[in-house]
Amino acid sequence: MPLANCCAPSAGVAGPQYSRLELSLSEEENTMTRRNNQALKRWWPNEAGAVRDDSAYREEHARAPEATKPAANASHGNRFHTPQRIWRIRSLVVLVLLGLLAVLTGVSPATALKGGSESTQKYPFMGSFQPAYPAPPRADGHGCGVMVLAPQWVLTASHCAGKNPTMSKAGIPQGWKVRVGSADTTSGGEVAEVDHFYRLAIEKGGLWGRDLALLHLSTPVKAQPVKIASNTPAENTSTRILGWGMTCDDSNNASCFPSRLREADTAIQPRSACSKAAPGELCVGALDGSVAATNMDSGGPALVQEGDQWVVAGVLSGPGGDNTPVLYTDVSKHAAWINGIITGTNVPADDPAPNVEGAAELPGCAGSVVRGPASRPEDPAMMLTNGHCVKGDRPAPGKALTDQPADFDVPVANPQGYPQATARANRLIYATMTGTDVALYRLDKSYAQLAQENAKVFELSSTPARAGDSLTIAYTSRRFACTAEAVVTKLREGGYEQNDSIRYAPGKDCNPYPGTSGSALLAPDGLTVMGINNTHNRDGEQCTENNPCEVANDGTVTAVKGRAYGQQINTVTACLTSGSKLELTGQGCTLTGAATLTPDPAKNPTPPATTPPPAPGTPPAPGTAPGSSVTNPADHTASPASETTPDPSKSSSTAAVASTADQRRQDLAATGFERVGLITAALGLLALGIVLWAIKRPRRLQ
């Protein structure tokens, strides 16, 4: 549940940032390189959002993921995102992202192609990669640079193509396009759809020095291609760099994203000038970093001259260190791989893509659209995720959040991971991290509307998961095949406790990592949600944040590094009613905040607390005040917020009191109006007197 590493997108970041800084924050195969771990703490936002430090965990398990998100949560947040994700710890995400930008561009505010200017020459081979999903955080849609190598082939960085939902090495994208032959990202040139991608390498296999990808276009373009350098350029060779990178560090500021191509002249430096350089990389830029590429220049070229023409020597990969040149992949070393694909003589097979249908990508977390036994087609659809994934403040120990506003997109994945449908969460119905770890949101689309869009909707189980059950963790980029090893009576983490938690049996196919929080635990039928993935023990500590421990009935505490857990959701099902409402006072509802005892007026004469009125058009959640924090009765720190049933024997007296109160209000109002009328009349007479005096008084000669 990763209290410190999940899930709110920063206020200053919207959507994934396309640079090597976040390049694999969403990639499952990303094992965090040593140089990036040493230079700066990598944060994995799970596509976009909240922040999670996942480097140690992922290195330990030797597996590869995003983005800002999610790195960004990313927890993981690499993308949504976020959630998130990057959906909490906003200020932390801002600091992290600004820190990442500082590593790339230096301490002072970045300028696109630092030290450069708007391009004055034409580069017909230069283009902008503009994927619809995950969408870059800028209005023009630019994510990375590309170069035309042949009528239907463009070259970019692998980490740019790595932003496909399942992080495949080769496959068929959806909604990707390029604009080539124009210095403007929004107009001119030619626009072509991308129908295939091939990545030279992914993080798990060693990305640095091999950060290249080829994108195949569905239709040929007429733009003049650029040639690949015949060999590695020597040190101190003059080079020209191009790109549409950010001109300042605020991704919420539209002026930070130039739509006009920029260029800068610099040189190839000794590899020793870039402390993070790997074999196969070029160190490009001014030694002090004053002339260099910036964030979202990724995939763009380092050009050198051969004869009277420009050729591509390098493709931008990422930062080279603090206030140093930046790193480009040496293209000449991979000419055979490029030519083999373009000529069709050595084309890699597509990766087998996992079926991730129904997963919803959130900033730093995952979610899924669910229905309960009482749900009707016309009811607003609901989205399930973890309580620790909510935006803003998380629920306090022993408490729940109910009926609060929400406003974010929920993309529901098709089998390939691209959005089949997108709804918008407009209300947080309920969230808690006590007893279980769940959050339930209401969406702006009904189940019938989602069915018309062929979006996958899961069914909430009314029975708990048991030891020995086969469970599938339905994450946004893959599925984890797990088995419930045990049901833990009490799980404790950072001041929170959950009951009947699901401990997974260890296995190579059951290795959830930060950013997978909120993923549904599916029964073998692939439709029924038995639980929700939420935490693992990261460091082997006992009961601290990110280190859950098991507490036996006799008080014995057990904590095992690497153990992962999910939470039951059948307690949620028991509280749901038609209309996508949660009835905490309903019979059988045992969620945190539910009313478990009926108060006896004779023994408890204290009147119930007054409930504030709901926002206009917002019905209050049953038994709770809108936007309230509901206390768990087991804490004995506050009584549950529940509606009081009126006593018929007191109805007449209550009506009399109400009538008297209404009459007094009317009397006071009448008296007030009378006083206001007298005062107004007096002021009017005074004003009239002043006007008459001004008219009649002698005028002084000018």
Side-chain angles (χ1 to χ4, degrees):
M1 145 175 74
L3 309 179
N5 15 325
C6 197
C7 305
S10 89
V13 175
Q17 302 292 313
Y18 281 68
S19 84
R20 175 185 193 162
L21 295 179
E22 310 97 345
L23 77 93
S24 43
L25 301 180
S26 63
E27 291 195 339
E28 295 171 29
E29 69 270 14
N30 175 11
T31 50
M32 294 303 183
T33 61
R34 283 189 299 274
R35 74 165 169 235
N36 281 329
N37 286 332
Q38 294 167 354
L40 51 98
K41 216 160 198 182
R42 283 297 278 282
W43 295 87
W44 179 41
N46 192 22
E47 324 232 302
V51 293
R52 244 187 236 272
D53 175 13
D54 66 331
S55 57
Y57 183 76
R58 293 174 67 199
E59 285 188 7
E60 170 194 349
H61 291 269
R63 61 164 165 275
E66 181 180 88
T68 14
K69 233 152 168 245
N73 165 354
S75 145
H76 67 59
N78 160 30
R79 291 179 222 217
F80 131 158
H81 295 170
T82 204
Q84 233 173 99
R85 210 283 345 137
I86 327 170
W87 306 337
R88 60 180 178 271
I89 317 181
R90 294 178 181 161
S91 60
L92 182 55
V93 182
V94 172
L95 292 174
V96 170
L97 291 174
L98 290 179
L100 291 175
L101 288 170
V103 169
L104 178 61
T105 61
V107 176
S108 60
T111 57
L113 288 181
K114 212 158 52 156
S117 59
E118 282 194 7
S119 173
T120 57
Q121 297 187 21
K122 292 184 178 181
Y123 302 93
F125 55 82
M126 188 64 190
S128 169
F129 174 42
Q130 302 177 3
Y133 183 84
R138 46 192 291 175
D140 62 1
H142 171 78
C144 287
V146 300
M147 291 80 65
V148 177
L149 298 185
Q152 286 186 267
W153 293 96
V154 296
L155 178 68
T156 189
S158 176
H159 74 259
C160 296
K163 294 182 183 299
N164 66 87
T166 57
M167 277 62 72
S168 299
K169 191 173 181 180
I172 300 173
Q174 296 179 23
W176 290 10
K177 68 178 182 180
V178 297
R179 182 184 295 275
V180 299
S182 173
D184 195 308
T185 57
T186 62
S187 63
E190 303 170 85
V191 176
E193 300 292 326
V194 177
D195 61 15
H196 229 108
F197 62 87
Y198 299 92
R199 304 171 63 196
L200 173 60
I202 56 178
E203 286 261 340
K204 190 173 183 179
L207 182 63
W208 313 134
R210 295 158 51 83
D211 191 4
L212 296 177
L214 285 169
L215 308 182
H216 184 264
L217 308 181
S218 60
T219 55
V221 295
K222 299 177 182 178
Q224 179 68 37
V226 66
K227 293 183 178 180
I228 296 172
S230 57
N231 50 51
T232 300
E235 294 177 5
N236 299 318
T237 297
S238 296
T239 183
R240 178 167 293 176
I241 54 180
L242 305 174
W244 288 277
M246 294 179 67
T247 59
C248 48
D249 293 345
D250 182 3
S251 61
N252 275 343
N253 183 350
S255 65
C256 291
F257 302 115
S259 61
R260 298 290 301 178
L261 183 66
R262 298 177 69 88
E263 64 182 48
D265 290 327
T266 183
I268 308 291
Q269 303 294 347
R271 272 186 48 206
S272 58
C274 291
S275 60
K276 302 183 189 68
E281 290 188 308
L282 304 175
C283 183
V284 179
L287 289 173
D288 61 359
S290 59
V291 178
T294 67
N295 192 27
M296 302 188 83
D297 282 324
S298 288
L303 305 172
V304 296
Q305 285 202 307
E306 289 187 357
D308 60 353
Q309 64 180 349
W310 291 112
V311 295
V312 179
V315 169
L316 179 60
S317 181
D322 295 336
N323 300 317
T324 68
V326 297
L327 294 168
Y328 286 69
T329 299
D330 185 346
V331 181
S332 68
K333 292 186 178 298
H334 307 290
W337 175 81
I338 293 171
N339 291 328
I341 294 176
I342 291 179
T343 61
T345 59
N346 189 13
V347 181
D350 288 354
D351 290 351
N355 185 339
V356 296
E357 186 178 17
E361 185 177 2
L362 308 176
C365 291
S368 54
V369 179
V370 297
R371 63 161 54 95
S375 297
R376 303 166 302 186
E378 66 270 23
D379 289 342
M382 295 180 290
M383 191 271 293
L384 177 72
T385 186
N386 283 144
H388 77 260
C389 292
V390 298
K391 281 190 169 187
D393 296 333
R394 71 172 72 105
K399 296 182 181 296
L401 303 175
T402 64
D403 195 23
Q404 296 195 355
D407 187 23
F408 58 89
D409 282 337
V410 178
V412 185
N414 65 11
Q416 294 74 39
Y418 293 90
Q420 179 68 36
T422 299
R424 195 152 189 87
N426 55 25
R427 206 75 188 168
L428 173 62
I429 302 172
Y430 178 85
T432 190
M433 294 166 63
T434 299
T436 185
D437 184 9
V438 298
L440 202 62
Y441 286 89
R442 188 176 296 125
L443 306 181
D444 67 350
K445 290 184 179 179
S446 68
Y447 292 111
Q449 288 174 311
L450 290 177
Q452 289 177 346
E453 298 181 56
N454 296 317
K456 182 83 168 183
V457 175
F458 298 105
E459 305 280 350
L460 289 174
S461 173
S462 57
T463 59
R466 310 286 188 186
D469 285 355
S470 295
L471 301 169
T472 298
I473 301 178
Y475 184 47
T476 57
S477 61
R478 60 167 291 187
R479 295 289 196 255
F480 300 86
C482 298
T483 299
E485 182 178 51
V487 174
V488 179
T489 303
K490 183 178 294 185
L491 192 72
R492 184 178 296 163
E493 178 180 355
Y496 293 87
E497 288 187 356
Q498 282 104 40
N499 305 323
D500 298 329
S501 301
I502 306 162
R503 183 211 301 160
Y504 311 138
K508 66 175 183 178
D509 294 325
C510 183
N511 52 0
Y513 42 78
T516 60
S517 292
S519 300
L521 302 182
L522 301 180
D525 64 4
L527 179 65
T528 305
V529 179
M530 302 299 300
I532 186 167
N533 181 57
N534 83 310
T535 191
H536 77 279
N537 188 298
R538 187 181 66 183
D539 306 312
E541 297 177 1
Q542 287 192 352
C543 313
T544 60
E545 292 187 359
N546 302 305
N547 294 287
C549 64
E550 300 176 14
V551 183
N553 291 332
D554 62 1
T556 303
V557 175
T558 304
V560 177
K561 183 177 180 178
R563 269 188 181 174
Y565 302 87
Q567 298 302 322
Q568 306 279 3
I569 54 83
N570 62 297
T571 52
V572 176
T573 309
C575 304
L576 287 172
T577 65
S578 60
S580 299
K581 297 177 181 178
L582 199 74
E583 181 59 76
L584 290 175
T585 59
Q587 184 177 4
C589 182
T590 60
L591 283 174
T592 296
T596 56
L597 297 174
T598 301
D600 184 346
K603 297 180 180 180
N604 183 19
T606 304
T610 302
T611 301
T618 303
T624 64
S628 63
S629 177
V630 182
T631 302
N632 184 2
D635 290 347
H636 304 293
T637 56
S639 60
S642 59
E643 295 182 2
T644 304
T645 303
D647 184 346
S649 65
K650 299 179 181 179
S651 60
S652 60
S653 61
T654 301
V657 171
S659 176
T660 302
D662 289 342
Q663 185 60 48
R664 294 181 67 183
R665 281 193 293 270
Q666 293 172 9
D667 292 343
L668 288 172
T671 303
F673 282 124
E674 291 172 2
R675 291 175 179 172
V676 169
L678 292 174
I679 293 172
T680 303
L683 290 175
L685 291 173
L686 178 60
L688 180 60
I690 293 173
V691 171
L692 293 174
W693 171 79
I695 293 173
K696 294 181 178 180
R697 74 187 183 94
R699 300 295 180 96
R700 180 174 297 179
L701 295 175
Q702 302 298 320

